[in-house]
């Protein structure tokens, strides 16, 4: 007897391994690429995703697939290609990448839920309800079904037990149909007449941008478009108009923002502008169920516009027409743990693969994007003014070397705050440090609170009376006396947002002081509540960290005070200048967005610092081109490419030895191919040399060319997977690193 022929498939699983696994299926079972399976692995069962079918395995005695979970692929061909590319580009295991792209519920192996409902067919949709005048119940039911699909439960609730017989009548007349589809699917909403839009008249600049964008969108091979519009220039309005023709031809739109806090405002404006379309948000604040529903809605085409954070780039879309990336310069687009991808770059790649346009917007574009414009790879559009009466804010540097300070706020700043509040306006104070003070110490003996696990200072948080390590999160209650000398006179140094809040409260007891940072907004809905309070327009003082810098539109805000830029001026990270310029201009951009002129006061003890002077006198466009020239000289990105090999271990020796061994072998590998222009820097301890009891080291690999970097990292990876990992060594490859911490 001939042995039964089996078919063999290759799958990826969610494990940090750089290989794929082969399994065999029953003869009749042919799972498609992109479907999930249950497969045996060791003594357990895991969820797997099919990546290849009909293969010839080099292994005999393959195990059998236990169950096929999906009839239709969850990951279609084009998405599979994109994720494959990401796995190769970022040197991250394919299985991890594929599972990362699925909503949590599906990662866990849950079946895609089915929806059963009744809806109208074409005939039922166009039939005038008057025709059913003589059957009022049928008329009522058809009226309901015309508005969208209706499940059994709703029919039960609306019509009671008799709904089946009413429906049967409609079915006989061939007006309705029954459907069973994947959850998330909904029939298109038939709106009677969309409510009238609140139309703003575009400025000439906006008008020109929109018409250019429409033209660019139609190109056969669309190039990315960079919309460089100063803060408050009305970029959002341009986005809205730009995508109208895309939606008109029944294509979908994907909007990416760097931070969850920006979503409510955008969601509102998109919903208001497109009442006839379904708009949904996708971010980490949703429950697993909500995420799945939105994900399926996008996949089936029921949702037309998705607004989401970084990971929304993996959302499957039935017919994606354009991707928008707001605040494209923002470093939050880079994932900082696990799969270290850059959301913006993935979006550009996806748009390129799908041959659709991508629109990037920012008031302070990234140097990468500006360099792409310089090389004519991106189109460039500029919005240089604010619409209406709103003018660019005035920016001044305030030398604090001779001024009295209280909680880091100068006496002059204090009186400016008073004036703006007296004029019935709002004020914002920016300080990128949460907590009460970064140092808690004993003046008697010099002891200061530091984290045992990180060997770094802990931040004093007065409201919870704790010291907290901002690196590993460890917390301790503050004891009344010094642990070293028992002195009961512990003091703090420096300031965080809590202290600024306290001091401003005592100076302005009549005014609400609203602190917005990670601590004050951790509860669900807390941020929205605080923002609402600001939007009411009464005079308030806002205190915030970088959470506040992005996107927000507060028309009554006229004064922005920036407390501390000095640290960033002396950073050794070559990206620090770019980041500081962006941050200062973004914060500044919150001022004077309404009718009153805005003023921005930048406190510093370095008033002559060339970057500050350049920023104020020349503006961002010029400064960014200057920084680019410098980067070119040093072959820093975007003129060269970098990867960081990060290692952490239980001991200093283990980490250092591991990287030294890697360096040695890598050097000899590099001798065997043309490695001119490749630089290996390290191993060195990371700037944050110890975190959560792990010692951290890094090796920076730089190259003048991306292709060459890629080959080098391929060789690096081949070595890394072979090395034994003693001493608790863990490594990760960070392609295009955004920071070196
Ligand atoms: P950006 O995203 O560039 O910072 P926004 O799109 O938030 O700016 O616009 C800033 C403010 O200007 C918003 O309140 C917006 O409603 C308003 N605005 C935008 N375009 C116009 C226009 N053409 N006429 C009047 N107001 C406008
Ligand atoms: Zn002491
Ligand atoms: Zn710590």
């Amino acid at each position: 007897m001939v042995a039964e022929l089996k078919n063999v498939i290759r799958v990826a699983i969610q494990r940090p391994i750089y290989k794929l696994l082969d399994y065999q299926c029953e003869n009749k079972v042919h799972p498609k690429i992109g479907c999930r399976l249950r497969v045996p692995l060791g003594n357990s069962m895991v969820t797997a995703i099919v990546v290849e079918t009909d293969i010839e395995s080099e292994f005999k005695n393959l195990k059998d697939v236990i169950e096929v979970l999906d009839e239709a692929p969850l990951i279609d061909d084009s998405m599979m290609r994109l994720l494959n590319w990401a796995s190769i580009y970022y040197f991250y295991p394919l299985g991890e990448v594929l599972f990362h792209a699925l909503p949590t519920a599906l990662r866990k192996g849950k079946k895609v839920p089915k929806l059963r409902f009744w809806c109208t067919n074409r005939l039922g949709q166009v039939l005038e309800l008057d025709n059913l005048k003589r059957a009022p119940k049928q008329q009522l039911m058809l009226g309901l079904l015309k508005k969208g699909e209706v499940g059994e439960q709703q029919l039960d609730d609306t019509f009671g037990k008799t709904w089946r017989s009413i429906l049967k009548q409609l079915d006989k007349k061939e007006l309705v149909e029954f459907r069973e589809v994947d959850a998330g699917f909904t029939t298109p909403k038939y709106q009677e007449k969309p409510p009238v839009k609140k139309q703003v008249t575009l400025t000439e600049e906006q008008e020109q941008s929109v018409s250019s964008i429409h033209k660019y969108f139609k190109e056969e091979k669309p190039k990315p478009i960079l919309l460089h519009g100063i803060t408050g220039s009305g970029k959002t309005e341009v986005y809205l108009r730009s995508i109208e023709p895309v939606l008109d031809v029944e294509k979908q739109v994907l909007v990416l923002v760097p931070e969850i806090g920006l979503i409510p405002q955008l969601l509102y404006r998109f919903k208001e502008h497109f009442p006839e379309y379904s708009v949904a948000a996708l971010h980490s604040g949703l429950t697993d169920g909500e995420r799945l529903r939105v994900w399926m809605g996008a996949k089936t085409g029921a949702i037309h516009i998705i607004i989401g954070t970084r990971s929304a780039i993996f959302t499957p879309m039935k017919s994606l027409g354009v991707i928008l990336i707001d605040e494209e310069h923002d470093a939050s687009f880079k994932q900082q743990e696990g799969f270290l991808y850059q959301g913006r770059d993935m979006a550009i790649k996806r748009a390129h693969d799908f041959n659709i346009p991508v629109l990037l917007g920012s008031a302070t574009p990234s140097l990468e994007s500006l360099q792409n414009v310089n090389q004519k790879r991106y189109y460039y559009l500029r919005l240089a003014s604010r619409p209406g009466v709103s003018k660019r804010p005035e920016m001044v540097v305030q030398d604090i070397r001779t001024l009295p300070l209280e909680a880091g706020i100068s006496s002059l700043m204090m009186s400016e705050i008073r004036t703006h509040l007296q004029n019935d306006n709002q004020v914002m104070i920016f300080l990128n440090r949460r907590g009460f003070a970064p140092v808690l110490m004993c003046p008697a003996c010099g002891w200061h609170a530091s984290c045992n696990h990180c060997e770094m200072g802990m931040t004093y948080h007065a409201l919870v009376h704790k010291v907290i390590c901002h690196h590993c999160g460890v917390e301790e209650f503050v004891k009344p006396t010094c642990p070293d000398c028992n002195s009961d006179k512990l003091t703090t140094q420096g300031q965080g947002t809590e202290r600024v809040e306290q001091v401003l409260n005592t100076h302005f007891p009549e005014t609400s002081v609203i602190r917005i940072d990670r601590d004050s907004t951790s509860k669900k809905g807390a941020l929205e509540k605080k923002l609402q309070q600001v939007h009411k327009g009464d005079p308030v003082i806002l205190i915030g960290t970088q959470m506040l810098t992005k996107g927000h539109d507060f028309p009554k805000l006229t004064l922005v005070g920036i407390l501390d830029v000095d640290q960033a001026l002396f950073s050794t990270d070559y990206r620090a200048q770019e980041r500081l310029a962006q941050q200062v201009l973004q914060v500044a951009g919150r001022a004077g967005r309404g009718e009153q002129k805005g003023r921005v006061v930048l406190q510093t003890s370095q008033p002559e610092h060339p970057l500050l002077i350049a920023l104020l006198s020349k503006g961002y466009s010029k400064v960014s081109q200057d920084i680019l020239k410098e980067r070119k000289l040093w072959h820093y990105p975007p003129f060269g490419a970098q990867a960081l090999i990060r290692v952490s271990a239980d001991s200093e020796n283990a980490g250092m030895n591991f990287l030294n061994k890697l360096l040695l072998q890598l050097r000899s590998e590099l001798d065997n191919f043309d490695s001119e222009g490749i630089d290996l820097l390290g191993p060195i301890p990371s700037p944050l040399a110890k975190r959560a009891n792990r010692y951290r080291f890094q090796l920076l690999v730089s190259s003048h060319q991306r292709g060459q970097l890629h080959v080098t990292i391929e060789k690096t990876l081949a070595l890394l997977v072979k090395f034994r990992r003693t001493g608790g060594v863990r490594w990760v490859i960070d392609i295009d690193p955004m920071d070196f911490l």
Side-chain angles (χ1 to χ4, degrees), residues 451 453-454 469 471-474 692:
C451 172
H453 314 286
C454 303
C469 173
H471 304 294
C472 72
V474 154

Side-chain angles (χ1 to χ4, degrees), residues 647-660 695 697 726-729:
V647 163
S648 65
D650 294 340
S651 71
E652 277 183 274
N653 271 342
M656 199 64 176
N657 290 345
F658 184 89
L659 267 180
N660 270 324
Y695 294 85
F697 297 89
T726 49
V729 164

Side-chain angles (χ1 to χ4, degrees), residues 411-425 427 504 506-511 541 559:
S411 48
L412 275 181
M413 180 83 87
M414 217 52 113
S415 52
E416 290 221 30
I417 295 175
R418 190 170 301 280
T419 313
H420 282 258
L421 293 174
Q422 276 165 355
N423 291 336
D424 229 18
N425 289 317
V427 170
L504 288 174
T506 50
H507 275 257
F508 304 99
E510 256 102 75
T511 308
I541 304 174
L559 175 66

Side-chain angles (χ1 to χ4, degrees), residues 13 104-105 117 252 277 346 392 440 476 538 562 632 641 652 733-734:
I13 59 171
T104 320
F117 56 83
Q252 292 164 293
Y277 290 105
M346 286 288 298
R392 274 177 193 242
L440 175 73
E476 280 165 32
D538 300 333
I562 302 178
K632 186 169 184 181
E652 277 183 274
I733 297 171
D734 187 353

Side-chain angles (χ1 to χ4, degrees), residues 605-668:
S605 55
Q606 303 294 323
E608 278 104 41
H609 195 286
L611 178 64
L612 291 183
I613 292 181
L615 206 52
L616 265 62
S617 60
K618 301 184 197 162
Y620 187 78
S621 292
K622 190 76 184 38
V623 167
S624 52
Q625 293 301 336
D626 288 349
I627 305 178
L628 271 174
K629 278 189 199 123
E630 232 171 89
R631 295 245 188 120
K632 186 169 184 181
L633 222 54
W634 297 98
H635 295 283
Y636 285 150
F639 298 96
Q642 295 183 329
L644 198 63
I645 317 296
R646 299 174 186 269
V647 163
S648 65
D650 294 340
S651 71
E652 277 183 274
N653 271 342
M656 199 64 176
N657 290 345
F658 184 89
L659 267 180
N660 270 324
K661 189 167 126 194
L662 176 71
L663 183 67
L664 207 70
Q665 297 202 17
L666 192 57
R667 279 248 157 82
S668 77

